Amino acid sequence: MPRFAYFRRLTQCDAPLYGTVDRYHLLHLCKKCDSVARKSKRELIGEGDLPVTVIDVARVAGVSPITVSRALHRPERVSEATRERVLEVVRAMGYVPNLLAGSLASSKSRLVAILLPTIANSIFSTAVQAMMDRLTEAGYQALLGPTGYSPEKEEALLEAILGRRPDGIVLTGTLHTPGSRARLASAGIPVVEAWDLSDNALDMQVGFSHEEVGRLVADHFHDKGYRRFSVITVDDPRGIRRCNALTDRLKTFGVDEIAVEVLPLPATWEVGREGLKRLMKLPSRPQLVFCSSDTVALGVLAEAANLGLRVPQDIAVLGFGDTTNSRFAHPALSTIGVNSAAMGKAVAEALLRRFSGSTSPVHQDTSFILIERSST
């Protein structure tokens, strides 16, 4: 029986197929329309054909195996037309690259681990998406690990992830257990601490000062005439630091009584609603509520409406993060913008420079901005 009899035609024309036909070729392309002829799954199993290899892809695509590898892992090193041709064949053949073999050969896994407190908060997802977009563009893949704001859980995740030999790791914040610090020092791979800056960096840092955020809020709103301040925060170390910086600064202005409500994680609307209920029971009601996140602040706005409070006339509300929902709230929420997308891209760029051999220290301040809208 002619060899082509083993192939199920998926083409939409009668043009001949081209490409060498042998037991390793699972696909051949139509000269006229570039559609595909493929063996059925049953025929492949029956003949005992081997899994598709990079050599198979290279033969069908008409390029070398190294070009296939570059198109998949280092796309910037091949032309766009070549990359598209290789990807078309890869998709059609169902080829799955052997990442383990590639990493053993090159000592690179093309994997970056990103550990973040939660995937539920858009303030983190915006930054992570920007990181992943830039890393994917450079041929890297991301592995996400939610820590639940727990340094101990971060340590457990690091123990599991480091065994997979990632090329780099992104951590959220600068608070880590001694065990995490020891493991990362021993691993010797590039690490970026994002969302924070400190004097005790593990390696690279890209973020901003949470203490400066608290001081800015105190200065700005004290200058506007506010004297009765309050804070609603979840038990998050960065939120607590912003709160402490705010209260310390206000004390220098003679404002000693600052109502602070610390509620359990996670940050939700319910946290904001409960926090405001507690504040409204105090003998002296606050003029301004500074919340640890926009999510908490939106809950405060909802409870203020429920209690018949006018915002900002009866109470002003300030969030943190400048998430999408903040600008569409009623009234529109004043907040602290932290340049999440720019921060995420800067983290990725710092890693890529290190992967390329740069040894320059990285301590990048991506800054923040107070955005006043209708709630203050």
Side-chain angles (χ1 to χ4, degrees):
M1 182 182 295
R3 186 63 172 171
F4 278 121
Y6 286 102
F7 286 79
R8 174 165 53 91
R9 288 295 298 267
L10 301 182
T11 59
Q12 297 179 358
C13 65
D14 295 325
L17 303 175
Y18 69 97
T20 304
V21 181
D22 57 41
R23 72 183 301 273
Y24 299 106
H25 264 101
L26 310 184
L27 291 170
H28 297 270
L29 304 182
C30 171
K31 284 184 178 180
K32 184 174 181 181
C33 65
D34 277 348
S35 54
V36 176
R38 178 168 53 193
K39 293 181 183 179
S40 71
K41 185 176 181 180
R42 178 175 297 177
E43 288 170 332
L44 290 175
I45 294 173
E47 291 187 2
D49 282 277
L50 297 175
V52 184
T53 69
V54 68
I55 296 175
D56 300 328
V57 174
R59 286 176 178 171
V60 176
V63 297
S64 67
I66 189 63
T67 299
V68 172
S69 180
R70 287 172 177 168
L72 295 175
H73 305 301
R74 300 293 299 274
E76 72 279 4
R77 299 188 64 180
V78 299
S79 70
E80 185 64 24
T82 298
R83 180 170 181 267
E84 288 301 321
R85 176 70 169 174
V86 169
L87 291 179
E88 176 188 354
V89 174
V90 165
R91 285 191 293 266
M93 296 181 76
Y95 171 63
V96 178
N98 187 337
L99 298 179
L100 179 60
S103 65
L104 290 174
S106 65
S107 298
K108 297 293 182 182
S109 65
R110 313 296 295 182
L111 180 70
V112 172
I114 303 173
L115 274 59
L116 68 163
T118 175
I119 59 175
N121 193 328
S122 63
I123 192 174
F124 295 115
S125 61
T126 299
V128 169
Q129 187 64 58
M131 285 183 219
M132 293 175 64
D133 287 346
R134 182 63 187 96
L135 290 170
T136 300
E137 182 182 301
Y140 289 83
Q141 299 300 317
L143 175 66
L144 300 184
T147 66
Y149 294 88
S150 166
E152 291 73 26
K153 188 170 183 181
E154 178 188 78
E155 181 178 351
L157 282 170
L158 282 173
E159 184 176 359
I161 289 169
L162 286 172
R164 289 167 172 76
R165 300 294 188 269
D167 290 344
I169 290 181
V170 179
L171 303 176
T172 303
T174 57
L175 180 62
H176 318 291
T177 65
S180 292
R181 289 181 172 273
R183 281 185 172 84
L184 290 168
S186 176
I189 62 177
V191 177
V192 179
E193 294 170 290
W195 285 93
D196 209 346
L197 295 174
S198 75
D199 297 326
N200 188 28
L202 285 169
D203 184 5
M204 300 176 280
Q205 288 187 347
V206 177
F208 57 94
S209 167
H210 293 269
E211 286 76 15
E212 287 297 327
V213 171
R215 288 190 279 267
L216 171 68
V217 171
D219 291 347
H220 180 81
F221 288 100
H222 187 271
D223 288 346
K224 289 187 69 172
Y226 288 90
R227 295 297 180 266
R228 299 194 306 278
F229 288 77
S230 65
V231 176
I232 301 176
T233 180
V234 291
D235 192 13
D236 159 34
R238 286 171 293 280
I240 297 294
R241 284 166 51 198
R242 293 192 295 272
C243 172
N244 291 340
L246 170 77
T247 56
D248 289 345
R249 185 68 149 206
L250 288 173
K251 287 177 181 178
T252 67
F253 301 144
V255 180
D256 295 318
E257 295 185 8
I258 302 102
V260 176
E261 295 292 340
V262 181
L263 286 87
L265 289 158
T268 63
W269 280 39
E270 184 57 36
V271 166
R273 299 192 71 156
E274 176 61 26
L276 185 59
K277 288 177 186 177
R278 296 183 186 184
L279 291 176
M280 290 300 101
K281 294 176 182 178
L282 298 176
S284 178
R285 291 185 173 184
Q287 295 172 302
L288 172 74
V289 183
F290 179 32
C291 301
S292 60
S293 71
D294 282 355
T295 302
V296 172
L298 291 171
V300 171
L301 289 180
E303 186 60 26
N306 183 58
L307 296 174
L309 298 173
R310 298 170 301 161
V311 178
Q313 293 89 341
D314 297 327
I315 188 165
V317 183
L318 178 67
F320 177 84
D322 191 28
T323 56
T324 302
N325 290 337
S326 65
R327 68 198 70 173
F328 299 113
H330 182 73
L333 180 65
S334 297
T335 187
I336 304 294
V338 295
N339 305 310
S340 297
M343 187 194 314
K345 185 176 180 180
V347 168
E349 294 290 357
L351 282 172
L352 293 173
R353 287 194 298 270
R354 183 64 61 85
F355 295 159
S356 297
S358 172
T359 58
S360 300
V362 176
H363 188 85
Q364 184 173 349
D365 188 342
T366 52
S367 194
F368 55 88
I369 183 172
L370 195 158
I371 304 169
E372 283 217 75
R373 298 190 179 112
S374 304
S375 68
T376 57

